[in-house]
Amino acid sequence: MVAAPMAGALMRVDGVEMRFGGIVALAGVSFDVGHREICGLIGPNGSGKTTMFNCISGFYRYTVGDISFEGTSLKGLPRHRMIELGIGRTFQNVALFRSMTVRDNMLVGYHFRGHTGFLANALRLPATRREEAEAGRRADELIDLLELRDQANLPVGGLPFGWQKRVELGRALIAGPRILLLDEPAAGLNHGEVDELGELIKRLRAHFDLSILLVEHHMSLVMRVSDRVVALEFGRKIADGTPDQVQRDPEVIRAYLGDGDEAPHG
């Protein structure tokens, strides 16, 4: 069972192959992510999920096929261009500036939106002050939305891991992405925090009109928040459809049971 591609997709993955020497990490994978869609990307360990994320965000250079964002090919583009196009990303292991405050960590994410140069910043020209004011406004909006007001001026390194995950979300969102790539956002969270994360993901989609591509091993979270789910195994796509369709797909059930994991369920 493979769902038909969505018309007018925001992002399109078309026949992407990725090899590491003689190892095929992705074998002609294709899928779309629609406007305002939450798309879950699942699969057993070694299925190619993180490789696909790294191809989309420019960390890996895929060898065959193409990935396009609003009709613009991402092939060969430097990583900073991904942010300019409107592609944001978080990582499984948070990479924050631990001695800096929550607010300052978020402001770092706005750096890529800045257009004033060194001289303008040194002279404190009006354009620089306007950019700083806009960055501050965005940071304050995200601090409230992510419920981080009480932690805003605290060093990130002293916060619980769940709060650090929220700070990383804010840093990715402050640049105003059109699509957000979430790499295992539930990793390291307890059951209550996972439930809160699910509600937060849906709230962020609605507030910012976002599309979200979610890689996650926590199946109940994926099935609860996703509009569509794409399943990979050994670098190839084995299913693409609604959460209900995918969790009942025989190929998906076989892939998980054969890997020693529990079958995906909501």
Side-chain angles (χ1 to χ4, degrees):
M1 169 273 301
V2 177
M6 294 183 59
L10 180 68
M11 188 182 74
R12 175 156 290 167
V13 177
D14 185 14
V16 169
E17 295 185 11
M18 183 72 202
R19 296 173 180 267
F20 298 98
I23 299 173
V24 179
L26 295 172
V29 175
S30 299
F31 64 90
D32 294 343
V33 180
H35 293 268
R36 300 188 77 252
E37 183 178 50
I38 299 176
C39 179
L41 187 61
I42 67 169
N45 290 335
S47 61
K49 304 183 301 296
T50 299
T51 299
M52 176 57 70
F53 252 42
N54 286 335
C55 287
I56 294 170
S57 51
F59 285 89
Y60 292 162
R61 302 299 184 191
Y62 47 93
T63 51
V64 176
D66 200 12
I67 302 171
S68 59
F69 181 76
E70 291 195 311
T72 298
S73 173
L74 304 184
K75 183 171 284 187
L77 290 182
R79 289 199 293 272
H80 70 270
R81 284 295 315 282
M82 308 301 175
I83 299 174
E84 293 173 4
L85 285 173
I87 302 171
R89 178 180 176 171
T90 66
F91 294 85
Q92 179 181 353
N93 299 313
V94 295
L96 300 169
F97 296 98
R98 296 179 61 81
S99 63
M100 291 170 57
T101 67
V102 166
R103 193 171 190 273
D104 286 343
N105 264 280
M106 289 190 186
L107 289 172
V108 168
Y110 193 79
H111 168 73
F112 292 98
R113 291 292 300 266
H115 298 292
T116 56
F118 172 79
L119 185 59
N121 280 273
L123 297 176
R124 305 290 302 148
L125 296 180
T128 297
R129 294 197 295 272
R130 285 194 297 270
E131 280 191 359
E132 289 180 351
E134 174 62 13
R137 184 195 67 77
R138 286 175 178 254
D140 289 335
E141 177 188 11
L142 285 164
I143 284 168
D144 289 335
L145 188 63
L146 297 170
E147 300 177 344
L148 289 167
R149 179 57 57 189
D150 291 341
Q151 294 82 16
N153 295 311
L154 298 178
V156 163
L159 298 180
F161 189 65
W163 290 114
Q164 292 186 28
K165 288 267 191 175
R166 293 194 177 211
V167 177
E168 189 182 33
L169 264 175
R171 189 173 63 182
L173 288 166
I174 198 171
R178 300 282 309 286
I179 187 169
L180 183 62
L181 313 180
L182 298 180
D183 189 358
E184 298 196 29
L189 303 185
N190 61 40
H191 183 75
E193 290 171 331
V194 171
D195 288 342
E196 291 177 1
L197 175 64
E199 294 306 310
L200 178 60
I201 288 172
K202 291 187 285 188
R203 195 160 69 242
L204 293 174
R205 187 259 297 272
H207 186 88
F208 292 107
D209 253 2
L210 274 174
S211 297
I212 296 173
L213 181 59
L214 168 69
V215 164
E216 183 54 68
H217 282 291
H218 202 292
M219 287 297 104
S220 65
L221 174 64
V222 174
M223 299 303 171
R224 190 167 71 249
V225 305
S226 299
D227 302 303
R228 284 175 63 244
V229 176
V230 175
L232 303 179
E233 184 190 26
F234 298 125
R236 64 184 183 92
K237 184 174 74 173
I238 58 173
D240 183 347
T242 66
D244 185 61
Q245 289 170 331
V246 169
Q247 66 186 349
R248 296 174 186 274
D249 187 281
E251 282 288 290
V252 175
I253 295 171
R254 180 199 53 74
Y256 275 86
L257 290 176
D259 195 56
D261 296 324
E262 62 177 24
H265 62 275

